[in-house]
Amino acid sequence: MTLRIAVGGIHTECSTSSPVLMQPDDFRVLRGEELLGSEYFNFLDAEDIEHHPLLHARAVPGGPLARATYEGFKAQFLELLRDALPVDGLYLAMHGAMNVEGMDDAEGDWISAARAVVGPDVPVAASYDLHGNVTQKIIDQLDIFAGYRTAPHIDVRETMVRAWSMLVRALTTGEKPGVAWAPVPVLLPGERTSTEDEPAKGLYLKLPEHDNIAGIWDANLMVGYVWADEPRGTACAVVTADNKDAAEKAAAAIAQSYWDARSDFQFGPVTGPLEDMLDIAEKAQTRPVILADSGDNPTGGGVGDRADVLKALIARNFDGALVGGITDRPAVEACFAAGEGAEISVKIGGSLDPASPFVETTAKVLRLDDTGVPAERQAVVTIGGITVILAAKRRPYHNIADFTRHGLDPQTVRLLVVKSGYLSPELSPIANPNLMALTDGVINQDIEALPSKRRQQPTYPFVKDFEYTPLVRLSARFPGA
């Protein structure tokens, strides 16, 4: 008998401090065969399984979704899901840190709506980013859960395969898994919980040991998302299992291990105020020094249009810096209007968030990059000994190809500045050394000073001194619950 599995979801991360609302054109939307053939979903191939691609919307992290943006995607997704019925299973590829105007638990709303369509008898599996936030509403709709185990995220595909494979297992064997979770009142930034560094490295390496216990299908440790001031923000342990006692024991152990390590998490690279980091960069005899502008990292929800680092470099008359990049569509358009080789007076920065610092300077247009889509255009300019890549649309510069497409070699420059926290897997190996500046922005690292009007308290490190004992909660769908 051929099994029918529907596939879709929505994947982004939202800082509630950002004033820039996400709109539909911020998303890459995959539908139908385009979804099945994409780099994210091309593993969906198994004997006697018919996959029904619905809609998957994915965006670079940013500010909250405009309510109309979310409702539009949700309506399309649900219509496609209804058209696909009957289905034997549903796989949702989610992130978990989406924030929508006027809504506290957007993923809970999305997953609950999907559950209402497929009914109570269809198993639903979800994959999550480890920086996603989890709620009882979410857990109560799911039968299967799998989260990333690496940050930087090098196991995205592996995690999706884990979730999908468990769904296939349930459908083909008749086994009935459920989900248990244990919230941990800790919220730390990803830059202090990278799995490249201890104690996170050791905590995550222990998760497969739980997987090997009889009755456990998959064990997870969720760091949660700290830059959203919302009630659901929390770290947690999440376990997929078919044995209640094993699930509760594993979830409690994982939760307790994270709580016990809460004060041990530190930044991995050399970290400090911007001027201190630039002092180090100026004296360095090695290259490339890579400086992470942590407060404006678009892959964490930063706006990406701040020019405070550029301003500091200009003030120092720094020679040999490459800044990749700053989002500023008006500046890009000014470069295209002037043409390659032109010298222009230009404002750089502050094009999206009025609070973002900017510089007014004279720059030479070195290179124009036009894909034929105005929103995708980029321009490369020089300001003295500083080279800056400008982007019309919010985006990260975390891959080598982001620079080489412009004829720039990030491995040979004296100083490479990227809007990042921990470095991407491509940039980290070439950093010599890696520095992280504690810059301002909507995802700045001074988390204890973040707006906390709606977070549940006590939560560490907003509150330091309180007791905690893991309380494991089962999904309403857990077998025998």
Side-chain angles (χ1 to χ4, degrees):
M1 180 183 73
T2 299
L3 296 169
R4 296 163 56 86
I5 296 179
V7 181
I10 188 165
H11 188 287
T12 194
E13 180 177 75
C14 307
S15 166
T16 56
S17 295
S18 173
V20 185
L21 296 180
M22 286 196 194
Q23 306 294 342
D25 58 5
D26 290 312
F27 285 81
R28 178 189 179 192
V29 183
L30 301 173
R31 299 177 179 87
E33 293 304 313
E34 183 183 25
L35 185 154
L36 292 181
S38 75
E39 68 272 26
Y40 293 113
F41 293 95
N42 58 14
F43 63 85
L44 296 173
D45 183 20
E47 187 176 352
D48 295 329
I49 293 181
E50 181 180 296
H51 291 96
H52 290 265
L54 308 174
L55 170 149
H56 191 263
R58 185 184 185 100
V60 171
L65 274 68
R67 187 63 177 256
T69 300
Y70 172 77
E71 296 294 354
F73 285 140
K74 176 185 167 186
Q76 294 176 54
F77 169 81
L78 294 176
E79 181 180 3
L80 291 168
L81 180 56
R82 292 186 192 98
D83 290 345
L85 295 178
V87 297
D88 298 293
L90 172 63
Y91 166 49
L92 299 172
M94 311 294 285
H95 179 288
M98 175 172 56
N99 182 275
V100 176
E101 284 184 301
M103 187 178 291
D104 278 335
D105 187 9
E107 280 85 4
D109 179 77
W110 183 285
I111 296 170
S112 295
R115 166 61 70 192
V117 171
V118 300
D121 299 327
V122 172
V124 177
S127 57
Y128 259 56
D129 188 305
L130 64 85
H131 297 127
N133 289 323
V134 177
T135 65
Q136 189 67 42
K137 182 176 183 178
I138 291 168
I139 295 296
D140 280 344
Q141 312 309 314
L142 297 176
D143 305 276
I144 291 163
F145 183 100
Y148 302 170
R149 291 176 173 176
T150 62
H153 307 315
I154 58 175
D155 66 334
V156 175
R157 180 187 175 93
E158 178 184 332
T159 302
M160 296 172 73
V161 170
R162 279 166 43 214
W164 172 78
S165 297
M166 286 189 284
L167 179 59
V168 172
R169 173 182 169 182
L171 291 173
T172 55
T173 65
E175 297 173 276
K176 294 187 180 298
V179 182
W181 76 302
V184 187
V186 174
L187 273 177
L188 295 170
E191 287 69 26
R192 283 167 56 185
T193 52
S194 169
T195 59
E196 298 291 309
D197 306 313
E198 295 293 354
K201 182 177 182 179
L203 293 175
Y204 277 87
L205 286 175
K206 288 182 179 296
L207 294 179
E209 296 178 14
H210 293 285
D211 293 347
N212 293 329
I213 296 171
I216 303 295
W217 289 32
D218 198 85
N220 301 276
L221 171 58
M222 303 293 287
V223 171
Y225 183 68
V226 70
W227 290 293
D229 185 13
E230 57 185 15
R232 68 177 185 166
T234 187
C236 63
V238 186
V239 175
T240 301
D242 58 20
N243 180 284
K244 174 178 175 291
D245 291 340
E248 290 178 334
K249 185 176 180 180
I254 295 166
Q256 188 67 52
S257 70
Y258 192 63
W259 171 259
D260 290 345
R262 66 193 182 283
S263 62
D264 298 333
F265 292 94
Q266 305 293 329
F267 296 117
V270 175
T271 303
L274 174 60
E275 295 298 336
D276 291 354
M277 297 302 97
L278 290 179
D279 286 344
I280 296 173
E282 283 191 319
K283 297 171 184 174
Q285 299 299 309
T286 55
R287 63 174 58 193
V289 177
I290 301 185
L291 176 67
D293 175 6
S294 64
D296 200 31
N297 170 21
T299 62
V303 177
D305 73 338
R306 296 177 63 92
D308 32 5
V309 178
L310 175 60
K311 185 175 183 178
L313 291 171
I314 293 173
R316 288 172 178 252
N317 196 27
F318 199 101
D319 187 23
L322 170 57
V323 180
I326 298 174
T327 301
D328 194 324
R329 184 164 180 170
V332 171
E333 292 176 348
C335 291
F336 272 82
E340 289 186 0
E343 286 204 0
I344 61 172
S345 295
V346 63
K347 174 193 171 195
I348 297 175
S351 64
L352 294 173
D353 182 353
S356 292
F358 61 88
V359 297
E360 293 180 321
T361 186
T362 299
K364 182 176 181 178
V365 182
L366 183 65
R367 178 185 172 90
L368 300 174
D369 185 350
D370 191 355
T371 64
V373 180
E376 302 290 342
R377 295 196 299 189
Q378 300 176 66
V380 182
V381 302
T382 57
I383 304 165
I386 306 164
T387 302
V388 185
I389 307 175
L390 302 172
K393 186 177 182 179
R394 294 179 63 256
R395 51 155 298 163
Y397 288 80
H398 290 181
N399 298 321
I400 300 294
D402 296 333
F403 302 94
T404 55
R405 71 170 289 131
H406 301 300
L408 303 169
D409 185 354
Q411 301 190 62
T412 63
V413 300
R414 181 182 171 198
L415 173 65
L416 175 65
V417 178
V418 289
K419 291 184 180 295
S420 183
Y422 49 65
L423 294 184
S424 68
E426 288 196 20
L427 294 184
S428 183
I430 70 170
N432 192 19
N434 169 205
L435 308 174
M436 189 172 77
L438 297 175
T439 47
D440 201 0
V442 301
I443 59 162
N444 73 77
Q445 298 293 323
D446 186 10
I447 59 170
E448 292 169 58
L450 293 176
S452 290
K453 297 177 181 178
R454 308 188 68 241
R455 301 178 202 276
Q456 289 192 28
Q457 298 296 358
T459 293
Y460 181 90
F462 302 94
V463 178
K464 297 287 200 307
D465 187 16
F466 64 101
E467 300 295 322
Y468 165 75
T469 300
L471 174 62
V472 180
R473 307 169 184 176
L474 299 176
S475 166
R477 297 179 54 77
F478 201 99

